[in-house]
Amino acid sequence: MESIELKEGDIIIVDGYVTLDNDDKIGLGGHLFKALDHKFPVVGIAKNGFNSPDDMRRMVYRGDSMTPLFLTAKGVDVDEIKTKVEEMQENFRMPSLLKKLDQLSRTP
């Protein structure tokens, strides 16, 4: 298994959720944030909605798409990240970086 060396200032992006609700239930990204002792911000970008209320979840609309991406984060201001995701390259729902992340995560 290949390891990744994280350094100060790195932000981890996961395909999925970091937080799931207002009662501190966490998703995959939240578990990763805990496993890394809260040292590195984790941002979750999900393609599908989650039904429970979460004050830290933001919907991000990109380009002409009427379908949002769902953004959650720990260790970083979710509203600052929302702006950055809105400004990412390409004017489609999925920025090219996230498309590449999705492709790499499916490669054996």
Side-chain angles (χ1 to χ4, degrees):
M1 175 183 269
E2 194 173 324
S3 65
I4 297 172
E5 186 175 328
L6 296 170
K7 58 188 179 304
E8 188 175 332
D10 284 351
I11 296 176
I12 300 166
I13 299 173
V14 298
D15 181 6
Y17 284 90
V18 177
T19 61
L20 296 174
D21 63 22
N22 288 328
D23 295 322
D24 296 324
K25 188 173 182 181
I26 56 175
L28 173 68
H31 290 286
L32 178 59
F33 185 69
K34 285 176 73 172
L36 295 172
D37 294 323
H38 305 208
K39 292 179 183 175
F40 299 95
V42 178
V43 172
I45 301 175
K47 295 179 273 313
N48 299 306
F50 197 79
N51 290 331
S52 64
D54 183 351
D55 293 339
M56 296 309 299
R57 184 181 310 133
R58 303 292 185 264
M59 291 190 293
V60 179
Y61 293 90
R62 291 181 33 86
D64 294 329
S65 178
M66 299 303 282
T67 306
L69 296 170
F70 300 90
L71 177 68
T72 54
K74 287 258 190 192
V76 65
D77 184 319
V78 72
D79 290 312
E80 287 180 27
I81 296 299
K82 179 180 184 239
T83 300
K84 293 186 184 308
V85 171
E86 289 169 339
E87 296 171 350
M88 289 175 102
Q89 186 179 7
E90 292 189 14
N91 202 21
F92 303 108
R93 179 177 181 235
M94 290 293 289
S96 57
L97 176 65
L98 297 180
K99 283 183 195 174
K100 186 67 174 175
L101 172 66
D102 188 55
Q103 289 170 351
L104 289 172
S105 68
R106 296 172 192 272
T107 304

